[in-house]
Amino acid sequence: MHHSKIESAVRRLIADGTVIPAHPLALNADRTLDATHQRALTRYYIDAGAGGLAVGVHTTQFAIRDVGLYRPVLELAAETAVGWTKRPLALVAGLAGPTGQAVAEAEVARGIGYHAGLLSLAAMKSASEHEIISHCEAVAREIPLVGFYLQPAVGGVILSAEFWRRFAMIDNVIAIKVAPFNRYRTLDVLRGVAAAGGLDRIALYTGNDDHILLDLTLPFDLRDKGVTTRAYFKGGLLGHWSVWTASAIKQFEMCKAARGKAAVPADLLALDARVTDCNSAFFDVANNFRGCIAGCHEILRRQGLMEGIWCLDPAEGLSPGQMHEIDRVCNEHADLSDDDFVTDNLQKWLA
């Protein structure tokens, strides 16, 4: 599937930039799929105004592949979305594993109706950059790609600006999620895409949950041979946006409105720090992100969008002290939540 085959409204949505939450996995106490709450989450993101859904990604738990849930979870999200809204919605499927597995997952996602694949490179740690490019090219022959610079703390591979230049030269790449949680490596991606002449055809999406609002607001000036090229992140594909999503969309619109202006409002600059403070608790920064998935689950549990915080791995949960941090940010930044929106709509989503 070539990106030219994506319906035009969805292609424009991705290119212009939108809010794409990374979809969590709702489980029952016995760690089987909770279809009722899984559907409710999908409906929540759509009604909040999200422009897309990323399913089968890190926030969905890569372990869904080990328990036979990859196809069922992708199908449930796609079927729920089609039945819930008629507006354009970008469906992005997480792709993982060595080349054979990633290609097979791309075929599954394409068959279900997903528009693009977010390609995790965590399985390629021992490969050279040349081998990783060959891997990406093979998957891109099956489905349009969203590149993924995953932070090393949760399994990502450190990649050079030259890698990202070569990646951006792949014709079927439509976007890149930049999520190294590192300013230097973020710039490597932008420099690589600019060197490939890809800034006009590849949409940059922030995945830097520690720097969301400034990534979405500030210009990036890239210099090459005395020539300056200005780039912007167009949208975000974020695990952090799996919670308090209705508020995140309002923040996204504020960032878009501030782009290109002579001055960025001081309140928006300050809000970036508050969002980062919330993320520090949800993502368990104090424990090197060990409880990042369970932390998001806890917010959704409090709102009634999940029954519990169970993960597929029984050993995965909140870290010591993380609940205290979540309590703190929920109290100090209560105005950033969307609790009222969820309360007003929860029974409809669970129906």
Side-chain angles (χ1 to χ4, degrees):
M1 175 183 170
H2 188 260
H3 63 75
S4 60
K5 303 298 183 183
I6 301 174
E7 57 186 281
S8 59
V10 173
R11 185 68 186 92
R12 282 195 305 273
L13 185 65
I14 296 170
D16 291 345
T18 190
V19 169
I20 304 180
H23 204 308
L25 179 70
L27 296 175
N28 297 303
D30 60 0
R31 303 182 198 277
T32 58
L33 177 64
D34 178 351
T36 297
H37 286 85
Q38 191 73 5
R39 277 192 296 268
L41 285 169
T42 302
R43 293 166 174 173
Y44 160 55
Y45 298 133
I46 292 170
D47 284 358
L53 301 168
V55 188
V57 296
H58 177 251
T59 305
T60 324
Q61 301 178 53
F62 288 135
I64 59 172
R65 294 154 174 86
D66 302 327
V67 294
L69 283 178
Y70 182 75
R71 181 190 288 272
V73 167
L74 262 64
E75 287 178 338
L76 183 57
E79 291 167 1
T80 302
V82 168
W84 198 252
T85 185
K86 300 304 178 188
R87 65 179 172 86
L89 196 70
L91 296 179
V92 180
L95 310 176
T99 305
Q101 176 184 332
V103 168
E105 290 184 1
E107 292 171 346
V108 169
R110 188 188 67 228
I112 294 170
Y114 281 73
H115 303 105
L118 180 71
L119 183 58
S120 169
L121 301 176
M124 307 297 290
K125 284 184 179 178
S126 61
S128 67
E129 289 193 350
H130 178 75
E131 291 169 330
I132 297 174
I133 288 293
S134 297
H135 168 79
C136 296
E137 290 172 337
V139 182
R141 287 192 282 271
E142 301 298 329
I143 197 169
L145 284 191
V146 177
F148 186 11
Y149 200 172
L150 176 66
Q151 61 159 324
V154 291
V157 181
I158 297 174
L159 299 161
S160 68
E162 173 61 14
F163 170 86
W164 291 109
R165 184 194 69 79
R166 294 181 63 191
F167 181 82
M169 295 293 290
I170 299 172
D171 173 63
N172 214 19
V173 170
I174 60 170
I176 298 174
K177 170 180 172 168
V178 185
F181 286 40
N182 181 296
R183 293 293 91 195
Y184 304 110
R185 292 170 190 159
T186 294
L187 289 172
D188 282 342
V189 182
L190 273 64
R191 287 173 48 230
V193 176
L199 289 173
D200 290 336
R201 63 180 180 83
I202 296 174
L204 297 171
Y205 276 67
T206 184
N208 288 319
D209 304 69
D210 63 337
H211 211 259
I212 299 169
L213 300 191
L214 292 188
D215 266 3
L216 290 169
T217 304
L218 299 181
F220 292 79
D221 277 357
L222 308 166
R223 299 276 291 175
D224 183 42
K225 298 181 177 66
V227 177
T228 300
T229 302
R230 179 159 290 187
Y232 287 92
F233 279 97
K234 295 294 186 67
L237 197 167
L238 294 151
H240 184 84
W241 280 352
S242 69
V243 303
W244 295 357
T245 311
S247 295
I249 288 162
K250 294 176 184 176
Q251 294 162 12
F252 174 68
E253 294 300 328
M254 292 169 57
C255 294
K256 283 178 64 178
R259 286 181 201 159
K261 299 291 178 62
V264 177
D267 287 348
L268 180 55
L269 295 172
L271 182 58
D272 177 77
R274 294 182 63 205
V275 172
T276 301
D277 190 30
C278 293
N279 182 261
S280 72
F282 302 163
F283 269 42
D284 192 27
V285 174
N287 295 283
N288 205 29
F289 306 97
R290 191 183 71 83
C292 61
I293 293 175
C296 292
H297 287 187
E298 172 60 17
I299 299 301
L300 297 169
R301 184 199 65 78
R302 293 180 184 205
Q303 293 182 312
L305 284 160
M306 279 188 166
E307 285 276 288
I309 67 168
W310 306 290
C311 296
L312 288 170
D313 180 355
E316 189 171 353
L318 296 177
S319 295
Q322 189 179 0
M323 185 71 83
H324 174 76
E325 278 297 289
I326 291 173
D327 288 340
R328 177 185 68 80
V329 299
C330 285
N331 178 58
E332 293 178 358
H333 305 294
D335 58 311
L336 301 185
S337 78
D338 62 357
D339 290 351
D340 291 343
F341 170 70
V342 174
T343 298
D344 290 344
N345 292 280
L346 182 60
Q347 293 311 310
K348 175 179 70 173
W349 298 331
L350 287 171

